[in-house]
Amino acid sequence: MEGWDKGTKSVVGEIPLLSTRAGPRDGDSWRQRLKEEYRALIAYTSVNKSKDNDWFRISAANPEGTRWEGTCWYVHNLRRYEFPLQFDIPVAYPQVAPEIELPTLDGKTHKMYRGGKICLTVHFKPLWAKNCPRFGLAHALCLGLAPWLAAEVPILVDSGMVKHKDDEAAPADAAAASGSAAAASS
C-alpha cells in the first residue's frame, strides 16, 4: 500500500477483508464466502456514498453468485459516462481474480482484451495474489476497475472513441426536427 495515495488507502482500509477461502464449487463454504462478499460490497458502497463518490451498481445475476452484472460510470469534464459491467466468478476463485468486462468498450482501447475484459494483469493481479483470500469483489472494483476507468475514460472521450449519451442523441433529434419542419413547410 506504500505506492497509493491517502484517499485510496483510506477507502481500502474501510473495506472489510474476507477470510473464507472458497470458490463456486465449494458448497456451504462458498455460501459463507458470498456472505462476506456482500458485506464487503455493502461497506464499500456505503463508504463511497458517504464521500460523495458513488460510481457503480452491481448485483449477482444468478442465485449461486457466480455471475455479476451492473453499471459503472465515470465523470469527465462534468459529464457522466456510463457503462454496463459484468463478470463471472472463476472456478479457481479466490486464488484467481474475476475478469471484469465492459462490453460496450470492446475494441476501443488497447488496455482491453477478449470481448471487453479490462486489462489488469500488470498492476492488479500481483496485488490480488499477494492478498488472497482477503481480497474480494469490492477490492477488485476499488483497486482494479476504478483506476482503469480513471486512466482510460478521459483518453477514450478526448479521442472521440466514447461519446456522451447526449451527444449521440443530438444528431438524431436534429434530423427529426428538421424533417418535421420540412414536412410542415410543404
Side-chain angles (χ1 to χ4, degrees):
M1 289 180 35
E2 59 278 345
W4 299 347
D5 62 85
K6 287 182 183 181
T8 302
K9 283 183 185 180
S10 169
V11 171
V12 171
E14 294 186 54
I15 300 172
L17 296 174
L18 290 75
S19 60
T20 304
R21 185 183 293 266
R25 293 183 177 175
D26 293 326
D28 287 340
S29 295
W30 171 243
R31 285 187 276 290
Q32 177 60 35
R33 172 72 185 210
L34 206 49
K35 287 178 186 177
E36 292 178 19
E37 295 283 0
Y38 277 116
R39 278 189 218 115
L41 283 166
I42 290 167
Y44 182 41
T45 301
S46 297
V47 167
N48 284 342
K49 287 184 180 194
S50 72
K51 296 179 186 241
D52 197 26
N53 189 28
D54 193 26
W55 64 274
F56 72 91
R57 296 279 181 275
I58 192 164
S59 62
N62 63 13
E64 299 81 25
T66 57
R67 175 99 179 128
W68 292 74
E69 295 176 346
T71 305
C72 63
W73 55 90
Y74 186 80
V75 176
H76 177 63
N77 292 336
L78 302 178
R79 299 179 99 183
R80 178 174 154 156
Y81 296 86
E82 196 166 306
F83 312 100
L85 159 70
Q86 63 189 31
F87 57 87
D88 292 309
I89 300 295
V91 173
Y93 189 82
Q95 288 78 18
V96 176
E99 293 182 313
I100 300 170
E101 302 172 45
L102 303 175
T104 57
L105 295 181
D106 187 22
K108 295 186 178 185
T109 174
H110 295 292
K111 295 188 179 166
M112 183 171 272
Y113 61 101
R114 291 190 323 232
K117 293 178 182 173
I118 66 172
C119 180
L120 295 175
T121 55
V122 176
H123 302 288
F124 181 69
K125 295 221 176 171
L127 183 63
W128 182 274
K130 180 180 175 185
N131 289 284
C132 174
R134 297 176 307 231
F135 275 11
L137 302 178
H139 298 89
L141 295 171
C142 178
L143 299 171
L145 181 58
W148 190 93
L149 289 170
E152 290 301 305
V153 171
I155 294 168
L156 292 168
V157 170
D158 293 345
S159 70
M161 294 298 289
V162 170
K163 303 248 186 264
H164 191 268
K165 63 183 177 186
D166 293 344
D167 294 341
E168 292 174 347
D173 294 341
S178 66
S180 61
S185 66
S186 307

